[in-house]
Amino acid sequence: MSASRYNRQIILPEVGEIGQQKLFKAKVLIIGAGGLASAILPYLAAAGVGEIGIVDDDVIELSNLHRQVIYKNDAVGNSKVLEAKRMTTELNPTVKINAISERLSGENALDLFKHYDIIVDATDNLSTKYLINDACCVVNKPLVYGSIYRFEGQVSVFNYKNGPTYRCLYSDENSQSLNCNDAGVIGISVGIIGMLQANEVIKMILGIGEVLSGKILVYNLLNNEQQKYDFEKKENLVIDKSTFEAKYKVIKNQAEEITVEAVLNQIDFEEILFLDVRNLGELPEINLKNRVQIPLLNLEDEMEKLNKNQTIYVFCQSGIRSKMAVELLSKNQFKNVKSIIGGALALNQLLKEGSKVLKKGSKVLRI
């Protein structure tokens, strides 16, 4: 940790060296890589939050650029999370950025959230907001909420120290709400609300100030007025794992799995195929001689390229999409298919530890 990089905030009595260490040890997950995240992400990274995950399966469109200011014109068509990671790494290379190019769902939310200390909602989709809230309740993580409607924005913190949740404030899940595509939005609004969200994250990490738990801040850009409203926790709203799985129709995963250690013992077997179901351009690169890449979204249409009788080890970024791929292939009479636990991240780590040279007997294989 570079003291000179963070000097101006370390000299604050409320931060200091201890506070900076708290920031460095913190893990924050941002759901959505759009306008709100374009303000949240760079400020958290610049402050020195040690590990930040970004979840989004979308690509950059020209219409995004007026408010999603971390992206450049020549990045149109590229993965949002990969571009966000590149930008953030250039801003502060000491921060670990996990680019998760997946759509948040009931299948992957709980596993993703468990790894992080604070979850940040940077989405503009109402059903996703309820999903995020419910997953936070199950794994007991605080949720920093932000939303925009035209020239008005809202910020709150849910499930903080067992405090009120999103459902305590908005109990009607069937209410209608327009997103930015339908209602319109000015870029400045997402910048202001996103920075207020980042502020709540930093306050929680440092343990300073008054967290917006049980309160919602409403900001009007046209007259610069803001109000805070109190709301109570509804004790009858209990969301546990079984309730969550039933609501979001989580299918108990029957996919067979294999550890990366076991895979590496078989990595030079010519009869084994390594199927990469990540999207094109996802990092880290995993260079294996028997690797084939078919993104999960294309797998159903392209599975005829694969041999149903061959042993296939499937991997994605972290091991979530690969399980879905294994289930799909198994339903289509593929005989021996397994998901690699931990995915490309685990494979890459193990390959690094072995200096990318694996020894099997007297034979040396270079990856």
Side-chain angles (χ1 to χ4, degrees), residues 24-312:
F24 180 72
K25 293 177 181 178
K27 298 177 181 180
V28 177
L29 181 66
I30 303 171
I31 313 298
L36 292 171
S38 292
I40 299 163
L41 179 60
Y43 275 97
L44 293 185
V49 173
E51 184 173 348
I52 304 173
I54 323 161
V55 182
D56 202 315
D57 68 341
D58 202 3
V59 297
I60 301 164
E61 298 178 6
L62 186 62
S63 62
N64 299 151
L65 300 184
H66 89 287
R67 66 193 183 282
Q68 299 176 19
V69 294
I70 60 175
Y71 305 124
K72 297 181 179 179
N73 192 71
D74 59 6
V76 170
N78 294 348
S79 162
K80 283 186 177 180
V81 293
L82 293 180
E83 285 296 316
K85 177 175 181 175
R86 183 189 61 77
M87 178 283 303
T88 311
T89 302
E90 290 176 356
L91 173 65
N92 188 350
T94 68
V95 174
K96 180 181 179 182
I97 302 295
N98 301 323
I100 305 163
S101 184
E102 300 177 12
R103 181 182 295 275
L104 190 74
S105 69
E107 295 285 349
N108 62 15
L110 299 184
D111 286 336
L112 283 173
F113 287 15
K114 286 176 184 176
H115 179 72
Y116 296 89
D117 305 315
I118 298 171
I119 312 301
V120 184
D121 172 15
T123 69
D124 64 355
N125 180 282
L126 196 61
S127 61
T128 304
K129 290 182 180 296
Y130 282 100
L131 168 63
I132 296 169
N133 173 81
D134 295 350
C136 284
C137 291
V138 174
V139 297
N140 194 26
K141 304 289 182 177
L143 167 60
V144 180
Y145 159 81
S147 72
I148 302 290
Y149 182 75
R150 294 179 174 161
F151 293 96
E152 187 174 274
Q154 300 181 351
V155 182
S156 188
V157 176
F158 302 121
N159 204 45
Y160 177 67
K161 298 183 178 179
N162 199 35
T165 73
Y166 182 68
R167 288 184 181 276
C168 298
L169 182 62
Y170 298 115
S171 57
D172 183 7
E173 192 172 348
N174 297 315
S175 63
Q176 299 298 312
S177 177
L178 297 177
N179 60 24
C180 293
N181 292 337
D182 300 321
V185 64
I186 190 168
I188 293 170
S189 63
V190 295
I192 292 172
I193 299 303
M195 283 191 286
L196 288 172
Q197 288 181 271
N199 184 50
E200 293 304 304
V201 172
I202 289 174
K203 286 193 296 181
M204 280 191 282
I205 294 170
L206 295 176
I208 62 175
E210 182 181 344
V211 175
L212 281 171
S213 176
K215 302 177 185 295
I216 185 163
L217 184 149
V218 180
Y219 188 95
N220 187 306
L221 274 78
L222 295 182
N223 56 24
N224 283 326
E225 289 185 356
Q226 62 179 20
Q227 291 88 29
K228 281 196 294 185
Y229 302 99
D230 296 335
F231 60 98
E232 301 284 331
K233 181 178 176 66
K234 296 182 179 178
E235 299 297 340
N236 60 329
L237 291 176
V238 178
I239 301 169
D240 56 22
K241 188 175 181 181
S242 60
T243 305
F244 180 91
E245 291 178 343
K247 176 174 178 54
Y248 296 101
K249 298 179 175 60
V250 177
I251 299 171
K252 299 297 183 181
N253 202 303
Q254 301 299 318
E256 284 196 60
E257 295 181 289
I258 187 169
T259 65
V260 289
E261 292 81 5
V263 165
L264 291 178
N265 288 334
Q266 307 174 54
I267 210 162
D268 58 344
F269 292 0
E270 293 183 359
E271 64 271 23
I272 292 176
L273 178 73
F274 291 90
L275 176 60
D276 183 350
V277 295
R278 296 178 297 169
N279 296 327
L280 300 178
E282 285 193 57
L283 299 175
E285 292 184 10
I286 303 295
N287 297 314
L288 302 172
K289 64 179 182 179
N290 294 332
R291 170 183 168 270
V292 171
Q293 185 166 22
I294 304 177
L296 178 61
L297 290 175
N298 303 338
L299 184 58
E300 189 166 10
D301 295 330
E302 298 184 25
M303 65 174 63
E304 71 275 1
K305 297 178 181 179
L306 307 174
N307 182 349
K308 291 186 176 182
N309 296 311
Q310 188 172 16
T311 297
I312 302 176

